[in-house]
Amino acid sequence: MNIAGRVPALLRQGPFRRYWVGQSVSLVGDQISLLALPLAAVIILHADAAEMGWLATAQLLPALLFSLAAGSWVDRRASRRRIMMFSDLARAGLIASLPVAYAFDLLSLTQLYLTAFAVGSLTVLFDVCNATLFVALVPGTRYVEANSLISGSRSLAYVAGPSAGGFLVQLLAAPLALVADAFTYLLSARCLARIDPVEPPPSAPAKGHFTAGLRWIMRSPVMRATFAASSTIQFFNFMFHTLFVLYVTSELGLGAGLLGIVLAVGAAGGLVGAATAGRVTRRLGIGRSAVLGYTLFSAPLLLVPLAGGPTPVVLGLLFLAELGSCVGAMIADVSVSSLQAALIPDALRARVTGAYRTLTHGVRPLGALTAGALGTAIGLRPTLWIGTAGALLCLLWVLPSPVPHIRELPTPEAEVVAGSATAAEGRGERGVGADSEAESEAGEGLGTEAGPGRKARPETKAEPGNWTGAEAGVEPGGTTEAMAPPEGEGLPRQKGRPEARPGAR
């Protein structure tokens, strides 16, 4: 077989390929900043545990404050892609301001806090738009494949980013290493400028528009369970990550370069997770894969506070922790992201994404603040024990829920049911509250289309025992029946452009 034949089918589609390239490059830059920013605070500005907690909180707080409003605003915009480009360019400028300030000996913790908060706010805006752009580029039958490719890029970023970040920090100093992240935002914006997908039409504002996404999550047993599990992991995992760099450098005595290598080698597990996620979901089912991912993501990190003794032992435990956790993270990421992409109606996608981020990402600053307070009060290692053991509580949410019993992704007909229920809500038939008439029409439109760029399908009734989407609710023990996609279903064509048009983040 020739090389072209070995390239995944989605990457042979120009629009998705450009989108994937932009995402991949930016993910590497994010990993560099993930290491360089706290190292700048610790090494250059001598931040203590409490100040590290405030830095992490400044970056994470926007998700709690702005996600719901951002989702409501974005659903009323015609071009989410342009908003994403603006977010990329603005973040590039903000990140670039840090090495400039350092060069003139003006860098301060206050600037780090303000920059982290502003970048976090723009990231919220980018991410709620990205959820809609993703489904505009990818047909529903290929969500797992697309998410596996993006998760593979994230795994490569976990491998390349920390090692590159550690090398750049040792070579240039931590603030100067942030230039690389600023550059990746520019490349991401360039990729976004070179695609033009057919996006779902904007919804009209009306009564209930702002909270429609939140109400939809609360009515869905699957979304409620995954939200609660993700929120639990996020809270405790950010307790862990807030103090991880400080703990490894101060108590375990590892330098920046060695830390970067350990993280990069351990993160190779993410490549394994992304590469096998498709096979795991086919063998175990999408729901059990999510449960497995949640477990593997959390349990191996218990080895980090356990680490101690000779340097080779410390390195081995950190390596195993990162390796196992990254395998689980990728399996959970692919399965849960694909499940949610299939469930959420297009008419509510940005609002549901914004509400979901408010609920899950919003606990991150609380975790960071808790870590700073406990790290100061009881010490770094005991706080890390709480952060790692607490993350396993996520299983208490998903195991009793319908999630483990979901075998396949919801079919396009399941999206029909979800869309029709959304329309009914818009007409006030469910007694939850009225949304706009325009939104009702958008929801009803889901009854004849499976999403942007997909072929219209007749609405069918679900047979007993089949998965019918979040609105119907899955009873424990039920499985799903996936319908085969029609022949020739592929990526949507570019709006008014030849296939040779350009890509996105």
Side-chain angles (χ1 to χ4, degrees):
M1 184 183 295
N2 57 32
I3 295 178
R6 295 179 182 272
V7 176
L10 279 174
L11 294 184
R12 294 198 292 271
Q13 302 284 345
F16 181 82
R17 182 176 63 250
R18 299 178 189 107
Y19 170 86
W20 173 77
V21 167
Q23 289 275 357
S24 301
V25 170
S26 188
L27 284 168
V28 173
D30 289 345
Q31 288 301 308
I32 293 175
S33 283
L34 193 63
L35 187 63
L37 196 62
L39 283 175
V42 171
I43 297 173
I44 305 298
L45 301 173
H46 309 293
D48 58 23
E51 289 167 333
M52 293 296 288
W54 284 112
L55 178 61
T57 301
Q59 188 172 9
L60 303 171
L61 189 60
L64 177 62
L65 298 180
F66 305 134
S67 291
L68 198 63
S72 178
W73 183 76
V74 164
D75 260 341
R76 301 199 299 269
R77 307 277 77 79
S79 178
R80 291 78 165 183
R81 178 182 63 92
R82 292 179 182 175
I83 299 172
M84 294 167 70
M85 290 170 58
F86 165 78
S87 298
D88 271 337
L89 294 174
R91 286 184 292 179
L94 288 166
I95 291 294
S97 71
L98 297 176
V100 171
Y102 174 73
F104 289 95
D105 199 24
L106 297 174
L107 186 65
S108 66
L109 278 172
T110 300
Q111 184 181 1
L112 286 184
Y113 295 154
L114 293 175
T115 300
F117 184 83
V119 169
S121 301
L122 291 164
T123 298
V124 168
L125 195 59
F126 184 98
D127 286 347
V128 296
C129 292
N130 195 27
T132 301
L133 191 66
F134 176 85
V135 298
L137 287 166
V138 181
T141 54
R142 307 179 84 171
Y143 286 157
V144 171
E145 180 185 353
N147 276 311
S148 294
L149 288 169
I150 293 171
S151 293
S153 296
R154 186 174 292 111
S155 300
L156 284 172
Y158 289 161
V159 172
S163 56
F167 174 76
L168 289 173
V169 166
Q170 286 200 330
L171 182 66
L172 301 174
L176 297 180
L178 294 169
V179 172
D181 191 24
F183 181 67
T184 63
Y185 282 128
L186 296 178
L187 288 179
S188 174
R190 170 63 176 163
C191 288
L192 283 168
R194 300 181 62 216
I195 63 169
D196 195 10
V198 181
E199 299 184 34
S203 61
K207 183 180 178 181
H209 179 93
F210 186 82
T211 59
L214 183 60
R215 294 199 311 275
W216 191 89
I217 291 175
M218 292 298 100
R219 288 199 313 271
S220 164
V222 172
M223 290 293 287
R224 284 200 310 270
T226 56
F227 139 66
S230 296
S231 297
T232 302
I233 287 181
Q234 296 283 5
F235 176 83
F236 288 105
N237 200 245
F238 271 81
M239 283 184 61
F240 170 84
H241 279 291
T242 297
L243 301 179
F244 177 71
V245 171
L246 183 61
Y247 167 74
V248 170
T249 55
S250 64
E251 293 205 7
L252 300 183
L254 299 186
L258 191 56
L259 172 60
I261 292 173
V262 168
L263 292 176
V265 174
L271 293 174
V272 177
T276 60
R279 289 192 290 273
V280 170
T281 57
R282 286 191 295 272
R283 185 175 184 85
L284 299 181
I286 196 77
R288 290 180 181 176
S289 296
V291 174
L292 175 64
Y294 281 138
T295 304
L296 288 179
F297 183 25
S298 305
L301 294 179
L302 291 167
L303 296 175
V304 174
L306 186 64
T311 299
V313 174
V314 169
L315 293 177
L317 290 174
L318 294 180
F319 164 74
L320 291 174
E322 288 295 321
L323 184 70
S325 182
C326 286
V327 170
M330 292 302 106
I331 294 175
D333 189 37
V334 170
S335 55
V336 175
S337 296
S338 300
L339 179 60
Q340 292 176 355
L343 285 174
I344 302 171
D346 285 334
L348 291 171
R349 195 167 297 276
R351 278 171 287 173
V352 171
T353 302
Y356 197 86
R357 284 179 56 89
T358 299
L359 299 170
T360 57
H361 289 48
V363 301
R364 290 177 171 185
L366 302 179
L369 284 173
T370 302
L374 288 180
T376 301
I378 65 176
L380 300 180
R381 194 184 296 267
T383 303
L384 289 178
W385 275 116
I386 295 172
T388 51
L392 286 169
L393 296 175
C394 70
L395 298 176
L396 298 180
W397 299 105
V398 292
L399 289 177
S401 79
V403 172
H405 309 287
I406 303 173
R407 182 70 191 173
E408 305 286 346
L409 283 178
T411 65
E413 282 69 26
E415 293 182 71
V416 168
V417 174
S420 298
T422 303
E425 180 201 348
R427 293 190 295 271
E429 294 174 9
R430 297 194 53 161
V432 180
D435 277 326
S436 71
E437 196 172 295
E439 181 181 314
S440 300
E441 293 171 358
E444 288 167 343
L446 293 171
T448 56
E449 288 186 24
R454 296 174 220 160
K455 296 183 179 180
R457 305 185 187 188
E459 182 168 348
T460 61
K461 294 182 180 180
E463 295 297 323
N466 285 0
W467 172 260
T468 57
E471 295 302 321
V474 182
E475 294 299 324
T479 59
T480 61
E481 302 290 333
M483 292 187 62
E487 287 296 323
E489 178 169 283
L491 292 175
R493 60 183 175 81
Q494 294 289 284
K495 180 172 61 181
R497 312 277 180 170
E499 168 53 31
R501 276 228 11 128
R505 187 185 176 218

